[in-house]
Amino acid sequence: MKAPSVRPVRCAIYTRVSTEHGLDQEFNSLDAQYDAASAYIKSQAHAGWTLIRSRYYDGGILWWVDRPSRSAAIAGGHPRPKD
């Protein structure tokens, strides 16, 4: 029996923090969030998940304020695949 084909899924990571506290550190909360999400996406490679190169993050932005990187990610601020 032939294994079912895997449909590619391109994944973007959006990270945010609501304060600027600690953002000047060499490794901060945005980095930790990105690393965790990236590891999860890599663990799903068998299901066709791949991480796009664009990195979306908003540091020091409160939840009720417009978040430009989130908006870009949702609007497709990254190139669409040609497949």
Side-chain angles (χ1 to χ4, degrees), residues 5-48:
S5 63
V6 175
R7 183 176 178 185
V9 178
R10 296 177 70 226
C11 303
I13 297 174
Y14 170 74
T15 58
R16 69 172 285 276
V17 292
S18 58
T19 69
E20 293 180 359
H21 179 71
L23 290 180
D24 57 342
Q25 297 174 347
E26 188 173 327
F27 185 83
N28 60 45
S29 177
L30 294 173
D31 299 316
Q33 292 174 52
Y34 184 87
D35 288 354
S38 178
Y40 183 76
I41 290 168
K42 288 175 185 174
S43 78
Q44 300 303 307
H46 67 279

Side-chain angles (χ1 to χ4, degrees), residues 26-82:
E26 188 173 327
F27 185 83
N28 60 45
S29 177
L30 294 173
D31 299 316
Q33 292 174 52
Y34 184 87
D35 288 354
S38 178
Y40 183 76
I41 290 168
K42 288 175 185 174
S43 78
Q44 300 303 307
H46 67 279
W49 292 24
T50 58
L51 178 60
I52 66 167
R53 290 181 183 230
S54 298
R55 186 169 175 176
Y56 301 97
Y57 62 92
D58 289 316
I61 296 182
L62 300 174
W63 67 270
W64 62 83
V65 177
D66 181 42
R67 298 182 298 253
S69 288
R70 178 180 174 267
S71 298
I74 291 172
H78 52 276
R80 298 282 303 160
K82 297 191 187 268

